[in-house]
Amino acid sequence: MIVTLRTERIRTLDEVRAFLEGSEPVDFTLNDRDSAYVFVRRSLERLRYHGLGRPDKGLVKAYLAKVTGLSRAQLTRLIAQHKRTGHIRDRRRKPPANAFQRRYTPRDVALLAEVDAAYGRLSGPATKEILRRQYEVHGDGRFERLARISNGHIYNLRARRDYRLGALSLDKTRPVQVSIGVRRRPDPQGRPGFVRVDTVHQGDLNGEKGLYALNVVDQVTQFEHIGAAVRITEHFLLPVLEDLLSAFPFRVDGFHADNGSEYINHRVARMLEKLHISEFTKSRPRRSNDNALVESKNGAIVRGWLGRAHIPAQCAPAVNGFLRDHLCPFLNFHRPCLFPSEVEGPRGRIKKRYRQQDVATPYEKLKSLDGAEDFLRPGVTFEELDRVAAATSGLQAAKTVREARRDLFRSLDPVASVA
């Protein structure tokens, strides 16, 4: 290292500042790291670095970086070492003086990688036999050392970095492309018949599977139908799902599910085609609002009425009777729901507001739509639906559902009963 008198006579911060502002080239040559460390230590002591304020410390650091060529991170570590010990030493790990001589060279590792790439990375004994035959039978001199390798050391070489960066090429897992359903949020444009579906599992107990509740909710009117299935396999799920979709008083034109395999499959797609449901959509990744309506109904309705306790799968017929005959008519004709209104804020942002005048039952919401009769299924009339809605008062319907729920859980296994 060559340090000229110009750098040696710098002893004040003003001289450091003048040096940094100068346009002349730096006449300092770094020949070895130890010499640079000596220069840094002397400069810190000469300028009394540890007693300076933060701006002045930054000035000294810039000076040391310009003279020595060391990075700011390196200088920070050296200064911390000097403050702690009063010295600056090279603490990098050095190889031992009498290191073990490696038997297998990087070329041997590359040959092993070549063999593994060709054979598909077989077990240690099989690979050892391949290496031995390559040298002793086929006379390939490149495998002289590898021909005597042990099984265990094959795995040691495979763990080396130069092996992983060698001839082996790794193929990333290819995602499965499922062409069933369109990955987007449905857009009903104020029309009923675009339903959301989700599954709620009633838990397991002592290795016994609980039943599955299928929840189907219309986005615009919040008409809701719930069914119970023993399993979510094709044999049990499809009949229940078809009955739920057929129970809506209006035509169902859209079907939206999350990415669960119980719904995103060819059997459900064929069933929807049979029911003339033309739009099949599925949720987008990291877009929790795509299926938020039915998720909220899972907590408020399914968990609220069926609870969180285990319900045995064999109880599905009894639960289905309660849901079909009592709970679903109550939900659709007597239980009020909140419907959002979109309001434009002062900055043009659309916000949702839930106003008192927008509270209505799903049936009232259906009747309030423009051209509501055009959405009804063939053979379904509002006169018939009005009779169902007027058959009992809302309070009496709520009491009837509570009593039916109490009778249901009394008839179930005591383990699954709720208070």
Side-chain angles (χ1 to χ4, degrees), residues 343-351:
V343 179
E344 184 175 352
R347 298 184 179 181
R349 183 176 181 181
I350 302 298
K351 297 182 179 180

Side-chain angles (χ1 to χ4, degrees), residues 7 13 28-29 62 97 176 199-200 224 257 299 303 306 369 394 407 409:
T7 55
L13 293 178
F28 176 89
T29 304
V176 178
T199 305
V200 181
E224 183 174 8
R303 292 303 188 191
L306 296 183
L369 299 177
D407 294 340
F409 282 105

Side-chain angles (χ1 to χ4, degrees), residues 47-302:
L47 297 171
R48 299 179 181 178
Y49 174 87
H50 299 297
L52 300 177
R54 178 173 294 183
D56 295 334
K57 286 183 176 179
L59 187 68
V60 174
K61 273 190 178 181
Y63 162 68
L64 295 176
K66 184 174 182 180
V67 174
T68 63
L70 298 175
S71 66
R72 291 187 65 88
Q74 289 174 303
L75 289 172
T76 300
R77 289 193 293 269
L78 297 179
I79 293 171
Q81 182 187 153
H82 182 267
K83 182 178 181 180
R84 185 175 61 254
T85 65
H87 304 282
I88 295 181
R89 295 188 177 91
D90 190 355
R91 297 184 178 275
R92 293 176 302 166
R93 296 184 60 183
K94 298 181 180 180
N98 299 314
F100 290 106
Q101 183 178 3
R102 285 191 173 184
R103 176 176 298 180
Y104 300 102
T105 65
R107 179 166 180 79
D108 295 329
V109 177
L111 287 175
L112 177 61
E114 180 181 349
V115 170
D116 283 348
Y119 281 88
R121 191 162 177 165
L122 303 179
S123 63
T127 303
K128 177 182 178 181
E129 179 63 17
I130 293 172
L131 299 174
R132 185 194 66 81
R133 290 171 57 84
Q134 194 68 21
Y135 175 68
E136 297 181 1
V137 177
H138 301 290
D140 193 337
R142 298 177 302 165
F143 291 85
E144 180 179 2
R145 286 182 297 273
L146 289 174
R148 297 186 295 272
I149 193 173
S150 64
N151 294 336
H153 207 62
I154 290 177
Y155 294 100
N156 293 338
L157 296 185
R158 285 173 174 172
R160 285 174 50 169
R161 184 173 181 272
D162 47 356
Y163 173 88
R164 295 195 302 269
L165 299 178
L168 278 180
S169 61
L170 302 178
D171 295 331
K172 294 183 179 180
T173 302
R174 297 179 180 178
V176 178
Q177 299 294 332
V178 180
S179 59
I180 303 172
V182 181
R183 195 177 298 282
R184 65 175 175 83
R185 183 179 183 178
D187 184 16
Q189 297 182 354
R191 298 170 296 165
F194 290 79
V195 299
R196 312 292 185 95
V197 62
D198 200 13
T199 305
V200 181
H201 185 212
Q202 288 299 138
D204 299 337
L205 181 66
N206 298 328
E208 182 182 4
K209 301 293 291 184
L211 60 81
Y212 292 83
L214 278 63
N215 193 12
V216 185
V217 184
D218 177 63
Q219 180 177 346
V220 173
T221 64
Q222 296 191 37
F223 251 86
E224 183 174 8
H225 286 284
I226 310 170
V230 177
R231 297 284 185 273
I232 53 175
T233 58
E234 173 188 5
H235 177 72
F236 297 102
L237 183 139
L238 289 185
V240 177
L241 184 59
E242 185 173 355
D243 290 342
L244 296 178
L245 295 174
S246 302
F248 287 91
F250 41 79
R251 298 186 309 274
V252 177
D253 297 321
F255 182 88
H256 181 86
D258 57 16
N259 291 278
S261 59
E262 68 268 29
Y263 299 114
I264 309 300
N265 58 67
H266 292 285
R267 295 177 293 275
V268 172
R270 286 195 296 268
M271 184 201 70
L272 298 179
E273 184 179 357
K274 183 183 72 172
L275 297 176
H276 304 288
I277 299 176
S278 57
E279 186 172 302
F280 187 5
T281 58
K282 54 188 177 181
S283 298
R284 298 166 293 176
R286 298 178 296 279
R287 300 293 182 91
S288 58
N289 285 338
D290 281 3
N291 218 26
L293 176 61
V294 68
E295 293 283 359
S296 64
K297 295 288 187 178
N298 288 343
I301 305 300
V302 179

Side-chain angles (χ1 to χ4, degrees), residues 249-251 375-381:
F250 41 79
R251 298 186 309 274
F375 300 116
L376 296 179
R377 290 181 182 274
V380 179
T381 63

